[in-house]
Amino acid sequence: MHENNLLKNNPIGIFDSGFGGLTVMSAISKLMPKEDIIYFGDSAHVPYGSKSKKVVTDFAVKISKFLIKNNVKIIVIACNTASAFSLNTLKKIVNIPVIGVIKPGSVSAINNTKNNKIGVIGTEGTIKSDAYPKQIKKLNKKIQCYSQSCQLFVPLVEEGWLNSEVTNKIIKIYLKDIVAKNIDTLILGCTHYPLLKKSIQKIIGNKIKIVDSATAVADSVKSLLEKNNLIKQKGIGKYKFFVSDSPEKFKNLGSKFLGNRINKVVKVEL
Ligand code: DGL
């Protein structure tokens, strides 16, 4: 087979600190059902959101090496914190295309805003890095960005408390100030947050459009594959899941994030 055909048939590599990136995988597999995917969830080290840039980047480098050993043709950093901290480093050290979630989400929010006021919510790491406001300003100087870290959202989602009274109260408290800034667009800058989308929308009202970067990332992955002539042409996508801790927990909760049953998960030591 011609070398490029071999590459075309290689899988897409996706990683996250745990389950969250499965929301991105779900969007990618819907858009490109022929593509094979290898997903790595770093469940031994979740959450990334409260860790330092150096620690998260060390994990991201190890995971990327693992994915490359498994012949992936592109790496998708399906985690906002790892994208904010590690995208530039990974781009320098790997020789296949790498894509994070910050730019696609920012572009999608910029395309939506009419009043040039965008809100961003995410983990402590993502918000402190200022990655979204910097990216948005780079693309459009006129836009005002308002950020809020929502540290309790990840554990609430991991507990499956997606629409409880406590969750709604916490959402209200976190989003009060940002909504008062008259934003018309809100970026869910964390891969766990799409599972809270319905509850968040109910609380902030329908006038504010929620941008969940998963679909924007899937579109960008497709464009990047097209640009590099790497789109798989035939077959039905096969999926492999790897984790750094408890495969059982990943199977159960992961199915919720993916919106599909996960049958086999393999634990690996990096
Ligand atoms: N996946 C992370 C993100 O998108 C959230 C979970 C974590 O803190 O590890 O930022």
Side-chain angles (χ1 to χ4, degrees):
M1 209 188 294
H2 185 269
E3 195 189 346
N4 199 252
N5 273 334
L6 270 176
L7 283 178
K8 277 181 184 174
N9 291 332
N10 284 4
I12 294 174
I14 304 179
F15 77 88
D16 176 42
S17 55
F19 315 101
L22 291 170
T23 55
V24 175
M25 175 172 168
S26 170
I28 291 177
S29 61
K30 274 188 196 127
L31 187 66
M32 294 173 283
K34 291 176 190 148
E35 295 291 341
D36 295 338
I37 299 176
I38 292 186
Y39 184 94
F40 186 93
D42 195 6
S43 44
H45 301 119
V46 68
Y48 281 3
S50 51
K51 295 190 172 67
S52 69
K53 181 173 179 171
K54 159 123 189 29
V55 167
V56 172
T57 302
D58 286 349
F59 295 148
V61 169
K62 277 191 188 155
I63 296 165
S64 300
K65 286 183 181 162
F66 169 80
L67 291 173
I68 289 170
K69 247 195 231 157
N70 282 277
N71 297 321
V72 300
K73 59 185 174 187
I74 184 173
I75 292 177
V76 183
I77 312 176
C79 169
N80 289 261
T81 313
S83 299
F85 284 161
S86 324
L87 177 64
N88 290 339
T89 305
L90 293 189
K91 275 190 170 167
K92 274 183 215 147
I93 63 167
V94 305
N95 56 6
I96 55 171
V98 187
I99 184 170
V101 291
I102 309 277
K103 192 170 178 191
S106 301
V107 171
S108 173
I110 292 170
N111 288 341
N112 179 72
T113 186
K114 304 264 181 307
N115 71 359
N116 286 346
K117 290 182 180 180
I118 296 177
V120 184
I121 54 174
T123 64
E124 193 189 334
T126 300
I127 297 306
K128 272 195 185 153
S129 76
D130 240 6
Y132 275 103
K134 277 185 199 153
Q135 179 67 72
I136 289 169
K137 283 270 176 223
K138 208 166 145 188
L139 296 167
N140 185 337
K141 282 197 183 69
K142 284 188 212 142
I143 293 179
Q144 286 299 317
C145 247
Y146 304 95
S147 309
Q148 174 67 53
S149 70
C150 304
Q151 277 300 95
L152 293 175
F153 284 5
V154 169
L156 284 171
V157 170
E158 300 243 336
E159 280 299 309
W161 290 16
L162 306 181
N163 191 19
S164 70
E165 208 180 310
V166 176
T167 306
N168 289 337
K169 266 195 189 142
I170 293 173
I171 294 174
K172 255 184 217 157
I173 295 168
Y174 274 134
L175 298 190
K176 194 169 144 263
D177 291 347
I178 212 171
V179 168
K181 302 288 185 195
N182 194 28
I183 54 167
D184 68 352
T185 308
L186 178 69
I187 301 175
L188 302 186
C190 172
T191 47
H192 276 63
Y193 298 178
L195 276 94
L196 294 174
K197 191 172 175 180
K198 273 192 198 147
S199 303
I200 295 175
Q201 191 80 72
K202 236 190 263 164
I203 287 161
I204 63 175
N206 285 329
K207 282 192 188 133
I208 302 175
K209 161 98 175 157
I210 294 181
V211 171
D212 144 11
S213 49
T215 30
V217 175
D219 289 337
S220 301
V221 171
K222 190 171 179 210
S223 310
L224 198 54
L225 289 177
E226 277 166 353
K227 201 174 123 196
N228 288 280
N229 195 19
L230 284 174
I231 294 272
K232 187 177 169 215
Q233 307 292 336
K234 284 187 202 145
I236 298 172
K238 290 185 281 307
Y239 308 135
K240 283 187 185 162
F241 299 91
F242 296 93
V243 288
S244 47
D245 201 355
S246 172
E248 279 314 309
K249 188 172 178 202
F250 188 88
K251 248 194 236 173
N252 296 338
L253 208 62
S255 305
K256 242 189 223 171
F257 278 84
L258 189 62
N260 245 320
R261 230 178 114 76
I262 296 176
N263 293 316
K264 190 177 167 204
V265 182
V266 177
K267 184 180 167 189
V268 286
E269 302 270 342
L270 293 184

